[in-house]
Every structure is written in C-alpha cells, then in structure tokens.
Amino acid sequence: MGFVGLGNMGLPMVRRLLMAGYRIRAYDRAPIPADALGGGEVVADAAATAQGADAVVLMLPDSDVVEAVMHGDGLLQAAAPGTVVIDMGSSRPLSTRALAEQAAARGVRLVDAPVSGGVKGAVDGTLTVMAGGDPGDFDRVRPILETIGRRVLHLGPAGAGHALKALNNLMSATHLLLTSEAMLAGQRFGLDPAVMLEAVNGSSGRSGSTERKWPDYVLPGTFDSGFGLRLMLKDMRIAVDLAEATGVEPRLGRAATDLWADAADHLPPAADHTEIVTRLRQLMEDHQD
C-alpha cells in the first residue's frame, strides 16, 4: 500500500501498519529518513506511492492539498484501476464527493475515513474512524482501518465521513471553549483547577476537554496535543457551512467559530488548538487593563 503524509498523525499510523505486516511505500513533502518509519520504503513523490498498490492512504491537512496530490502530483493518474484511495484527513464533504466521482471515472475508488483521537490515539491504535464511500470499498479497506482504529464506522456514501468529522470538531472546539471559560472563572473564584476537573469528570459537565485536554495539555502548560488551532478552525468552518447548507441555523457554532478565528489572529502560526486558553487569558488581562 501507499501512504502520503507523515506528520504527527501519519507517522504513527504507518508504524502500526508496518507492524501489522503491510508493505508500504511512503511519501511526505518534508524530507524524512527511511529509518524513521521502522521499515517500509520512502519514495520520491506522491505518485510513486500508488505504483503497484492495492490501497493508498492520504493523511493530509485539507481538501486543497488532497486535490493537489491527486491531480497535480499525479497520484490519480499513477493508480491502477481498482486501487482504493483512503482520505483520512479532514476535507470538505462536497469536495470529497466530487473527487470520488473523478476517481471513479478512472476506475479508482475513494473512501473518506477521517479519524478522532489525536496523536495518542494514532500511536495506540485506538482512533475512531468515520468512513464514507461504497460499502464494498469500505469492506475491502476495513482491515487497514481496524489496524489504525479501535472503533471503525461506515456512515454512508462518499463525503459522509468528512461531514461527521467536521461536525465532531465543531462540537469538540465548542466544548473546549466553554470548558476553558468555566475553568478560568473557577480559578479566579479561588477553586483548585485539579479538584474542579475531578468533580466535573464525575458530573454532567464532563467532556473530552475536561477528561483529557485540560488535565493533559492545559494544566501542565505543555499545549502539545499535536493538533493545530488553525486546523481546528478550518474544520469548524466546514461544519458551520454544512449546517447552513442543510437549513440549520448554527448560531452557537458560528459564535464559537468567530472566537476561534480571533484566537487564530492573535496566536502564533503553529499554535496548538489547546492554546485557545492562552487567548482567553489574554482577553481577561486586556479587560482588567
């Protein structure tokens, strides 16, 4: 199989697939030594990953990059009929549907299979995989997906996985924003944040933000979840657009997206998404001044 995209998520995924016995040709635009994979072959371009491959996984940041790799870099042209391309990044659902049609015209199949669970989930193989595409194509690549994830779900036709991924991240980002506002308010009132989290995690206010993001990345001050703030904002915007296209008025989602956009305007380009807390603290200090 081929694999394109050896970043924070892609590299641990490749290592798990290699340990499971898959033979892999991998590519990333950033130079990477072959021994970083723990096996497999690092090739010179994206198209080379598709040569002789039954499946090619793409772990890329957005639809524009996916389309550039498929068309501009020649991966689609290099893939033999019957090859299944698995887009595991976060892409626009409608763009995914169009790309699936373009691939099908060449006899190439496309399954969108974005994941949730972060870098730790990629390392541990405990990701949730949200897949869209033809049921037969999904069944063909399910063993690959089950090597990477613990919960693998087929949601519907092409684009369904990317739709749910964006909606999930809108929910996740809104949880983190409100959790952070509540935690900062509690701290200012004099409450111990660790005790606050212990109480909330046994109560109805708990979420992934209280169970993992605050205790693992915010309280220690590391802000190193491995998922960028601007990538989260990109997914939130996809979800808001999707909601509007279906006739849902996403008032809370739009407000949360605006607050995350403000954070993106004021934090460094490489800011982790958990650094939304940093922007909230800045706003508190500005208000005091």
Side-chain angles (χ1 to χ4, degrees):
M1 62 184 294
F3 201 107
V4 181
L6 303 173
N8 290 334
M9 296 289 289
L11 192 56
M13 287 178 173
V14 168
R15 289 171 177 161
R16 291 198 63 83
L17 290 165
L18 287 166
M19 287 190 293
Y22 289 96
R23 293 176 296 161
I24 294 179
R25 288 196 186 101
Y27 169 75
D28 193 278
R29 65 181 180 179
I32 184 166
D35 59 6
L37 301 182
E41 177 186 1
V42 176
V43 294
D45 53 51
T49 66
Q51 294 172 2
D54 298 311
V56 180
V57 174
L58 309 180
M59 193 61 198
L60 300 169
D62 57 44
S63 289
D64 292 341
V65 178
V66 169
E67 291 170 4
V69 165
M70 291 287 282
H71 295 300
D73 295 348
L75 191 151
L76 182 56
Q77 289 75 17
T83 303
V84 182
V85 175
I86 313 169
D87 181 0
M88 301 194 75
S90 298
S91 297
R92 297 184 298 268
L94 294 180
S95 296
T96 299
R97 286 187 177 178
L99 187 58
E101 292 174 359
Q102 295 160 13
R106 299 185 61 88
V108 175
R109 314 301 297 173
L110 188 139
V111 170
D112 52 302
V115 299
S116 181
V119 175
K120 187 177 187 303
V123 172
D124 297 341
T126 58
L127 296 168
T128 294
V129 182
M130 310 168 216
D134 179 85
D137 298 332
F138 170 74
D139 287 340
R140 281 184 60 195
V141 301
R142 184 167 192 150
I144 295 171
L145 303 180
E146 289 179 339
T147 301
I148 293 169
R150 176 178 294 169
R151 183 181 290 111
V152 178
L153 303 171
H154 182 242
L155 302 170
H162 283 148
L164 183 55
K165 169 65 174 180
L167 294 168
N168 174 81
N169 277 11
L170 177 62
M171 295 167 67
S172 175
T174 305
H175 296 164
L176 179 56
L177 182 64
L178 186 55
T179 294
S180 298
E181 290 179 346
M183 290 294 296
L184 293 173
Q187 286 180 272
R188 288 207 158 192
F189 188 73
L191 302 178
D192 183 321
V195 178
M196 287 175 67
L197 290 172
E198 183 178 359
V200 170
N201 285 334
S203 305
S204 58
R206 67 186 180 277
S207 68
S209 297
T210 62
E211 292 176 336
R212 292 183 300 280
K213 295 179 184 181
W214 259 79
D216 293 348
Y217 309 116
V218 178
L219 281 189
T222 55
F223 302 107
D224 58 353
S225 77
F227 186 62
L229 185 145
R230 285 160 181 80
L231 288 177
M232 180 67 90
L233 176 59
K234 179 260 299 180
D235 289 350
M236 295 174 75
R237 285 171 167 159
I238 291 172
V240 167
D241 288 346
L242 179 64
E244 291 175 341
T246 63
V248 173
E249 180 63 24
R251 287 177 290 179
L252 178 56
R254 192 182 298 113
T257 301
D258 289 343
L259 290 167
W260 278 78
D262 169 78
D265 287 341
H266 289 86
L267 295 176
D272 189 84
H273 81 284
T274 55
E275 290 184 72
I276 186 71
V277 181
T278 300
R279 179 56 184 158
L280 293 178
R281 287 173 174 152
Q282 290 173 350
L283 290 170
M284 288 166 49
E285 291 169 3
D286 292 344
H287 181 69
Q288 283 184 322
D289 294 341

